[in-house]
Amino acid sequence: MESLSCLVLKPSPPTRLFFPPRIPQMALPGSTFVFPFSMDYQLPITTAKLALKPIRASTSAVPTTPSTTSTVTSSPTAASTKKVLVPIGFGTEEMEAVILVDVLRRAGAEVTVASVEPQLDVQASGGTKLVADTRISTCSDRVFDLVALPGGMPGSAQLRDCEILKKITSKQAEEKRLYGGISTAPAVTLLPWGLLKRKRTTCHPAFFDRLPTFWAVKSNIQVSGELTTSQGPGTSFLFALALVEQLFGESVAREIGELLFMHSADDKPRKEEFNKVDWAVSHTPRVLVPVANGSEEIEIVTIVDILRRAKVDVVVASVEKSVKILASQGVKIIADKLIGDAAGSIYDLIILPQGGVAGTERLQKSRILKKLLKEQDAAGRILGAVCSSPTVLHKHGLLKENKVTAHPSAITELSNPVDGPKVVIDGKLITSMGLATVSDFALAIVSKFFGHARARSVAEGLVFEYPRS
């Protein structure tokens, strides 16, 4: 049967690869984030600046829970005409998959997340459990404007071995429609399918030697005709924005970049710390991440993925009646447990992800979570919040005189905000602006628990630019 064509032998549990230092990048002087699609081009993003202008975003084109950050719609019919397929499998890299889906939906695309497994529930490479919208067999006769493959191992091998996905993507290439892959996907999935022929391509540095030498390019983003490739989780936002640019145009990509805080901030510090104290513990750090319907999927997945890469014991707990939550841009995530079941343990750090309007209110109204937060504060343990969630701590009386940062829409509610840095640490409180800044937020936590060397090692595996000292 067609629906069984992607079945493979049950794989071993997902494993994380340890990668060598990232490949040096070339500078792109004065980049304004304009892609000339009439020719091949590469975009080494490490020193590129996105010249983005403040905008007013329209209401989301996808029915989702209200969010602090809006969805941009390029035209009244854009969402109905731009259809995107994002396949996932056992061991798919969750940051790459979720950032792709989130950013494309913000732009107004109709994104279908399809499982190549027999079931819709898929365990990603870092342990996050995602729920696909449908099985890949239901997509075989559909036409997509874009097919975008996340990487991760063994996820890329799972995608490679799916005959239905191979046929869909091969037809996409034959008919000159957009397709792409990030991280391991170009080398592990697209190359064996023969879809990289005469295409300049990049991929994760650890898999770079698998690419045809003449066509391999050491850049964060590479566009060659209809094919777009990128290097890893740390370049996922740029990969997604490059695809948005091709689907909707430069202005929409700029608007989305601004909403996500992708603008250049070279004149401002990455993080700022006040009242410095030691966070090191003698055991494996335990972190609780409470989530609710409407929580921001980019923030949940990025924080959890990065901390687990650093060997932190992370528990994702739902404040809803079910462990399954619907995030702000429609991504379905299965938490590890309910908040009531998580409440019996002690955590070194509790992190509140952004929850939009509805999600933040649901976190705030959870009596169990409120009790946990107050106990955490009373015991002198660490608290963290991103985007609009510092307001939850504020309303529970837990910020006191701490210096904080937050999403611009929420920062006016706080009594001691710090303007400028993406991340602010004050004693045993850490806050962030949210969205694209949460990678810095999570790596700052890794640095506080384990030291700068561990944080830099994790960043290199992500292909994320991080200070050497």
Side-chain angles (χ1 to χ4, degrees):
M1 293 187 296
E2 187 180 45
S3 61
L4 298 179
S5 62
C6 296
L7 287 175
V8 294
L9 294 175
K10 184 177 180 181
S12 302
T15 56
R16 285 300 172 87
L17 303 175
F18 290 91
F19 301 111
R22 82 178 286 184
I23 297 172
Q25 305 295 315
M26 297 183 296
L28 185 66
S31 168
T32 56
F33 197 60
V34 177
F35 297 132
F37 294 118
S38 59
M39 58 188 289
D40 285 1
Y41 64 88
Q42 64 187 50
L43 183 60
I45 299 298
T46 46
T47 56
K49 301 177 183 179
L50 303 184
L52 301 166
K53 298 178 290 184
I55 53 90
R56 175 181 291 176
S58 64
T59 306
S60 173
V62 182
T64 59
T65 307
S67 173
T68 302
T69 49
S70 303
T71 298
V72 174
T73 307
S74 56
S75 72
T77 60
S80 63
T81 58
K82 301 300 182 185
K83 295 179 170 57
V84 178
L85 174 64
V86 177
I88 60 173
F90 179 82
T92 288
E93 215 301 316
E94 47 263 74
M95 279 179 65
E96 295 166 2
V98 169
I99 289 171
L100 263 175
V101 174
D102 186 303
V103 173
L104 287 164
R105 283 179 175 166
R106 286 172 187 271
E110 180 185 315
V111 182
T112 299
V113 181
S115 170
V116 303
E117 309 294 348
Q119 70 285 343
L120 295 180
D121 297 2
V122 172
Q123 182 175 326
S125 61
T128 300
K129 301 179 183 72
L130 304 174
V131 183
D133 303 318
T134 188
R135 293 177 178 82
I136 194 66
S137 57
T138 68
C139 302
S140 57
D141 297 324
R142 296 176 58 185
V143 175
F144 295 95
D145 298 283
L146 165 67
V147 176
L149 309 184
M153 291 298 287
S156 289
Q158 298 293 99
L159 301 189
R160 177 198 63 204
D161 295 338
C162 179
E163 284 299 320
I164 296 175
L165 179 60
K166 178 181 178 180
K167 290 176 182 177
I168 291 171
T169 313
S170 297
K171 184 178 180 181
Q172 191 82 2
E174 289 168 7
E175 297 182 355
K176 303 296 183 182
R177 294 193 299 272
L178 299 177
Y179 66 104
I182 186 170
S183 186
T184 56
V188 177
T189 310
L190 295 174
L191 180 63
W193 289 349
L195 299 182
L196 301 184
K197 292 179 180 177
R198 302 186 66 81
K199 299 284 189 182
R200 296 196 181 278
T201 309
T202 192
C203 72
H204 196 285
F207 288 76
F208 196 77
D209 60 358
R210 298 193 186 189
L211 299 177
T213 303
F214 181 76
W215 297 99
V217 179
K218 296 178 180 179
S219 60
N220 281 354
I221 303 288
Q222 177 66 36
V223 177
S224 186
E226 297 79 28
L227 172 67
T228 303
T229 52
S230 187
Q231 288 196 313
T235 65
S236 294
F237 283 105
L238 279 304
F239 179 57
L241 285 177
L243 296 172
V244 168
E245 168 108 8
Q246 294 171 76
L247 287 171
F248 297 105
E250 176 190 348
S251 63
V252 175
R254 287 172 180 268
E255 293 174 8
I256 296 296
E258 179 71 14
L259 288 173
L260 295 170
F261 306 124
M262 289 295 293
H263 52 283
S264 175
D266 292 342
D267 58 329
K268 296 179 181 179
R270 184 184 296 259
K271 69 178 180 181
E272 194 164 350
E273 185 166 6
F274 305 89
N275 303 312
K276 188 173 183 178
V277 296
D278 186 14
W279 286 16
V281 293
S282 59
H283 54 271
T284 299
R286 296 207 74 203
V287 173
L288 176 67
V289 180
V291 296
N293 288 329
S295 288
E296 171 49 54
E297 48 264 80
I298 283 177
E299 295 172 356
I300 297 169
V301 168
T302 300
I303 291 168
V304 173
D305 191 352
I306 290 177
L307 293 183
R308 284 177 174 165
R309 284 172 179 263
K311 307 304 180 186
V312 174
D313 181 7
V314 182
V315 175
V316 181
S318 169
V319 303
E320 308 292 347
K321 294 181 179 179
S322 168
V323 291
K324 185 182 293 186
I325 67 146
L326 181 66
S328 65
Q329 296 299 322
V331 173
K332 296 178 279 291
I333 299 172
I334 300 176
D336 301 318
K337 56 183 66 177
L338 296 175
I339 192 69
D341 298 326
S345 300
I346 293 175
Y347 301 93
D348 299 291
L349 167 62
I350 299 177
I351 301 171
L352 303 184
Q354 191 268 123
V357 176
T360 300
E361 288 179 354
R362 299 184 80 83
L363 291 179
Q364 183 185 329
K365 291 179 179 178
S366 170
R367 294 180 180 178
I368 297 175
L369 178 57
K370 179 180 179 180
K371 182 173 182 290
L372 278 172
L373 293 172
K374 287 185 173 291
E375 289 175 349
Q376 187 83 355
D377 180 64
R381 294 190 293 268
I382 312 161
L383 291 170
V386 300
C387 208
S388 62
S389 289
T391 61
V392 176
L393 299 179
H394 174 66
K395 290 173 182 177
H396 289 330
L398 300 176
L399 288 187
K400 305 179 181 67
E401 297 301 317
N402 290 97
K403 296 182 183 298
V404 296
T405 190
H407 190 277
S409 66
I411 204 162
T412 55
E413 298 182 40
L414 307 175
S415 57
N416 208 3
V418 178
D419 180 39
K422 299 176 182 178
V423 179
V424 172
I425 304 172
D426 189 352
K428 292 193 173 182
L429 174 70
I430 181 168
T431 54
S432 149
M433 296 171 65
L435 299 167
T437 71
V438 292
S439 295
D440 286 296
F441 173 83
L443 288 168
I445 292 170
V446 173
S447 182
K448 288 294 291 182
F449 275 137
F450 301 108
H452 183 80
R454 175 79 66 92
R456 180 162 173 78
S457 176
V458 171
E460 287 174 350
L462 295 168
V463 197
F464 181 78
E465 192 71 13
Y466 195 72
R468 292 187 176 277
S469 59

